[in-house]
Amino acid sequence: MWLAAPLAFEEVDRLVYLKAALSETLRLYPSVPEDSKYVMANDVLPDGTFVPAGSSITYSIYSAGRMKSVWGEDCLDFRPERWLSPDGKRFEPHDSFKFVAFNAGPRVCLGKDLAYLQMKSIAAAVLLRYRLTVAPGHRIEQKMSLTLFMKNGLRMNVQDRDLSSIATELSPSQPDVVAPAPVAEVVVATC
Ligand code: HEM
């Protein structure tokens, strides 16, 4: 039964909407919010800015993910659909020089594919089993540093998810659907 074991690679690979949602999350909340480069030789940026050798440049990945000129009028909306083909069936990546959460060019993040695999596996494992809601009254605040994280952690209510009806629909031949445990509510804190 598909809830009893971790998803196989092929199953994780098919989680197209989840990949779009994770990409949209990284666009608005990039794990690495800014990045610096050292200038080896005199150069001119595409907008005409001269950069002398020996200087360093910091670019804001956080801002690049929120620019109207790059992402359009709805740049601040969380809209996973911007990563999907019109029929919603395929993931359509944006150019890595536009979506810079993993850097771009020869120094692009070498762990990008592994990072997606890990994020999708963990998100699927948790979300298939639990419904998560932010604990009432909890203040979510970003904290900018080398990586972007949450100042007060993230206090969540965790509820068992009742998937028995969906599971029966998807696998009618498998009556061994595990009945979910009664709804429990716990609060966890992460930081
Ligand atoms: C969501 C997860 C991740 C994000 C957002 C991310 C982002 C980045 C960024 C922005 C850079 C460029 C840093 C720079 O040039 O200064 C980078 C480089 C790198 N990342 Fe990641 N990364 C992630 C996960 C991973 C994982 C899981 C691995 C390894 C398994 C990894 C391995 C690397 C390596 C080796 C580089 C250096 C590439 C080079 O300079 O040639 N990353 N990453």
Side-chain angles (χ1 to χ4, degrees), residues 100-114:
V100 286
F102 291 98
N103 200 7
R107 304 305 294 269
V108 70
C109 171
L110 293 180
K112 184 176 175 182
D113 292 341
L114 182 62

